[in-house]
Amino acid sequence: MTPTSLAPDQAHTRLHELTVIDVRTPGEYASGHIEGAHNIPLDHLDAALPVLKSAAERGELVVVCASGARSAEACDTLTAHGIPAATLTGGTTAWSRHGHDLHRPADARGVWPMDRQVRFVAGSLILAGLAVGQRRASARWLSVGVAGGLVYSAVSGSCAMARVLAKLPLNQPRATDFDDTLAVLAATGQ
């Protein structure tokens, strides 16, 4: 079984028949998501596998993130567990660029998207390494290490810094939100 993909316009046309799983962090999800999407952060995907398997038996799953990278990773995991799923090509970025609305709850907290968090932290660490490196040359290795990590991230398509940042409290779902999401998926599949 190979994961498939859906273009934003294809998914929009079929939205009423799809179960949308958003694998971004809860903060990213709250900042704007596809109407009706269920938030199951990528680092919580394994805990949701049984419920997602049941939901997939009742209808097609489409997985979404900001750009398509995390949703592709999630689809690979789902496929490895025998759960068919498609990824939304280009993620919510492409979705909104194609003119489709994102739902933004009124009480949403303003958490930056993960790519912005990574750029901020990486840039800050590089600048800190260079600034402290003016006094202690060995501190420049911090800048070298972060820059090397960014290059590796681009080549491999994975990001260790994003995995670490996803564990911060502001990027974690409240237990009740995650449990409620699983309960809704288990009950309806939509």
Side-chain angles (χ1 to χ4, degrees), residues 5 11 20 41 48 53 66 79 82 85 110-111 114 125 127 143 151 158 175 180 188:
S5 61
V20 181
K53 186 171 185 74
T79 300
V111 176
M114 187 56 66
L125 289 172
L127 286 174
S143 300
V151 170
S158 67
D180 290 348
T188 65

Side-chain angles (χ1 to χ4, degrees), residues 19-93:
T19 299
V20 181
I21 307 298
D22 192 319
V23 295
R24 296 175 300 158
T25 66
E28 291 176 290
Y29 174 82
S31 69
H33 57 271
I34 295 172
E35 185 75 38
H38 302 281
N39 186 219
I40 299 181
L42 185 59
D43 60 345
H44 288 72
L45 192 64
D46 288 341
L49 287 173
V51 172
L52 291 172
K53 186 171 185 74
S54 294
E57 290 169 357
R58 293 188 298 268
E60 189 175 352
L61 299 181
V62 64
V63 183
V64 63
C65 67
S67 67
R70 286 178 280 175
S71 61
E73 183 179 339
C75 282
D76 288 342
T77 299
L78 292 171
T79 300
H81 286 88
I83 303 169
T87 185
L88 180 67
T89 305
T92 55
T93 302

Side-chain angles (χ1 to χ4, degrees), residues 124-143:
S124 297
L125 289 172
I126 289 170
L127 286 174
L130 292 173
V132 175
Q134 296 295 322
R135 296 233 178 223
R136 296 192 75 136
S138 61
R140 292 184 190 141
W141 285 106
L142 175 63
S143 300

